[in-house]
Amino acid sequence: MSQKKSTAKKGKTEIPLSREEADELQMIVDRLLVQNPEGESFERYLQSMGNTLGSRPHMAAALVEQLSKNPGKTGFLTFCALEGLIRNSAHKRHLKQAAYRFSQRGFTCAGEAPAPEKVVLIQGEARHPAAHLFLVSGTLWLVSAHVPEPGPGSGYLMLSAFLEKGFDIYNVKVSDGSQKWYRDYLKTVTRYAPGSRPMEIPIWHAARLFFEMLDMWTGKDRTAQIEHVREIFGRYHEPDRKPYVYDLMPAIEDPERLLPEVDVDRLLEGMDLSWLSFAREELAPFHEKLKELDSPVLVISREIQAERTRALIRGAADSLYAGRKRDLFRRFFEERAMAFKLLSEEEKANWAWTVACHLAGGGSAGDNPVARELVIEAIEHHWPEDAGKEGPAEHGAAHERRTESGIILP
């Protein structure tokens, strides 16, 4: 196994790839080399990879080209799974070369008895599901998918799902739709949601998001549309699988060490953070304590007052971001990290991933600068009379906010 891995890493492709694509290609190769071609999960992995590369035939061609240079059963089955994606692209020559290399080692689609079903599934007419995610203000996640209906000669279904108005309304739709109709739908959403862009995601991850939103939804009346989409996404749901971002981003062993590097203002810029906010009554006890710290009865220095305020905000973040709220916080930034990665915004992807990994690892929410900032913004939202402003520079507190009522916020 180690010899194959070394050979694969030295392999080069004739197909031009960007540096990011080359890194992604090597990551896929590395994951394939540890797969068991006889394992039950291998076929699901190939299907997921086919969904991911479905609109990127040049990446699929580069992958089979690299795998064919050191032919093996894992590489051959991958070749069979991706053949249909490449055959009608500009990379037919590379497909023929890869087929020849595999045949020299005795691997041919016609004669590979152990995997006849795979050969059938990768014909040019094979129908693959597609899924996309939009991050649109006013919605938590806007998930769309285009999936084939079961049975030969059947059509496609178009699915969409998103939460709005807090968690009160779950907007779910299903309808018939051709591939052209689905492409037009993606363009329409992009046109009417400024700043949003469709991000292609695996169908199993789209299914995960649908079921997560269904669990968060505060409504009780499950419509026929919701039940229909639930049944369809249920075919692709892999509840024990981690979110897609774990396939895209490297593990962080000590995220707390990286928290000081997070530029909170730049990370949160333009985000709809209402999903992570709190009701006024949840914040009231902490707001009262902040006012008490500013009481003229307390004769303490500004530095001590500021430190006590910071400690209070840390405690508030620890208390408020607990249980399901903490899970939502983590998932929110896992999805943001995935989105930034898919949109090639590497710096923001790393910041969001650090924030998510810190909470996933059991770190204190009070130590998380984003959690503290969200608590402060929530307090300012519910008590607009305390609208924050910078403290006077002569007090050396340019990084602090002092409200109209005198409350100091970190």
Side-chain angles (χ1 to χ4, degrees):
M1 183 67 72
S2 60
Q3 182 179 1
K4 286 185 178 181
K5 187 172 183 178
S6 173
T7 304
K9 284 194 173 184
K10 291 179 181 177
K12 294 182 179 179
T13 176
E14 299 175 4
I15 300 172
L17 299 176
S18 68
R19 182 174 179 179
E20 291 77 13
E21 289 175 329
D23 290 342
E24 181 184 358
L25 177 66
Q26 190 57 59
M27 181 181 70
I28 295 174
V29 171
D30 289 343
R31 291 196 66 187
L32 279 169
L33 290 173
V34 299
Q35 295 288 328
N36 176 9
E38 306 293 342
E40 295 181 0
S41 63
F42 185 58
E43 186 171 352
R44 292 198 305 270
Y45 177 75
L46 290 182
Q47 182 182 14
S48 174
M49 182 173 59
N51 295 336
T52 302
L53 300 179
S55 61
R56 304 160 71 192
H58 69 292
M59 280 288 288
L63 176 59
V64 299
E65 179 195 22
Q66 186 163 335
L67 293 172
S68 69
K69 292 178 180 179
N70 187 24
K73 186 169 183 179
T74 300
F76 171 70
L77 295 179
T78 304
F79 165 81
C80 288
L82 298 178
E83 182 185 6
L85 303 179
I86 306 169
R87 185 182 296 117
N88 297 321
S89 72
H91 302 289
K92 289 185 288 186
R93 178 175 64 86
H94 298 95
L95 183 67
K96 291 181 179 179
Q97 290 175 343
Y100 175 77
R101 294 189 186 113
F102 280 116
S103 67
Q104 291 295 98
R105 294 290 184 91
F107 294 109
T108 60
C109 287
E112 184 67 8
E117 293 184 3
K118 294 184 178 67
V119 176
V120 174
L121 290 174
I122 52 79
Q123 299 302 315
E125 294 77 17
R127 305 186 309 157
H128 301 280
H132 292 81
L133 172 67
F134 288 90
L135 296 179
V136 179
S137 182
T139 71
L140 178 57
W141 302 310
L142 196 166
V143 177
S144 65
H146 192 238
V147 300
E149 292 187 86
S154 55
Y156 279 83
L157 293 175
M158 186 276 176
L159 320 175
S160 66
F162 58 91
L163 281 171
E164 58 182 339
K165 294 194 180 298
F167 301 93
D168 294 340
I169 298 179
Y170 197 16
N171 197 317
V172 177
K173 299 292 183 185
V174 57
S175 62
D176 297 330
S178 65
Q179 291 182 330
K180 180 180 182 304
W181 191 92
Y182 184 65
R183 288 194 297 268
D184 290 343
Y185 165 81
L186 297 178
K187 292 177 182 177
T188 300
V189 176
T190 303
R191 186 181 307 119
Y192 288 100
S196 66
R197 293 163 59 184
M199 292 163 284
E200 186 172 6
I201 57 176
I203 187 67
W204 59 263
H205 187 68
R208 178 193 184 95
L209 294 177
F210 169 82
F211 282 102
E212 285 184 315
M213 288 190 288
L214 184 61
D215 186 51
M216 297 175 197
W217 178 46
T218 57
K220 303 298 181 183
D221 182 19
R222 290 194 178 185
T223 64
Q225 291 269 317
I226 290 178
E227 290 300 328
H228 192 185
V229 174
R230 182 176 181 274
E231 185 273 327
I232 296 168
F233 269 133
R235 305 170 196 164
Y236 304 99
H237 191 31
E238 299 182 34
D240 296 329
R241 188 169 184 173
K242 287 188 175 182
Y244 184 41
V245 67
Y246 286 85
D247 292 348
L248 300 176
M249 302 293 290
I252 302 178
E253 293 184 2
D254 185 12
E256 190 167 351
R257 178 178 56 85
L258 300 178
L259 286 177
E261 300 178 12
V262 176
D263 188 326
V264 177
D265 290 338
R266 286 181 57 197
L267 173 62
L268 301 183
E269 183 181 10
M271 283 190 189
D272 178 2
L273 301 170
S274 61
W275 304 94
L276 302 178
S277 193
F278 305 93
R280 183 183 175 102
E281 53 269 23
E282 293 178 284
L283 294 163
F286 303 102
H287 181 252
E288 286 300 317
K289 290 178 181 178
L290 285 171
K291 292 173 66 176
E292 290 172 8
L293 284 175
D294 192 60
S295 170
V297 176
L298 295 175
V299 183
I300 57 176
S301 67
R302 179 187 177 87
E303 290 74 16
I304 294 176
Q305 183 181 0
E307 180 56 39
R308 290 182 180 178
T309 301
R310 285 192 288 271
L312 178 59
I313 295 297
R314 285 192 180 92
D318 261 339
S319 175
L320 293 167
Y321 281 113
R324 289 174 63 90
K325 196 74 173 185
R326 181 186 175 105
D327 291 339
L328 173 61
F329 185 107
R330 171 181 54 81
R331 287 292 296 120
F332 183 90
F333 281 96
E334 284 176 346
E335 291 305 300
R336 290 290 169 162
M338 180 197 74
F340 286 133
K341 181 68 175 179
L342 294 176
L343 296 173
S344 299
E345 298 186 49
E346 298 293 336
E347 193 171 38
K348 287 187 175 182
N350 290 331
W351 292 337
W353 184 230
T354 296
V355 169
C357 287
H358 175 250
L359 292 178
S364 167
D367 293 334
N368 195 300
V370 173
R372 297 196 302 268
E373 177 63 22
L374 294 182
V375 169
I376 292 171
E377 290 189 5
I379 291 174
E380 292 178 334
H381 169 74
H382 286 294
W383 286 271
E385 66 274 16
D386 291 345
K389 61 183 180 179
E390 288 188 357
E394 63 267 25
H395 290 283
H399 62 290
E400 297 173 350
R401 284 171 271 186
R402 192 171 182 89
T403 69
E404 294 289 350
S405 59
I407 297 175
I408 297 176
L409 296 174

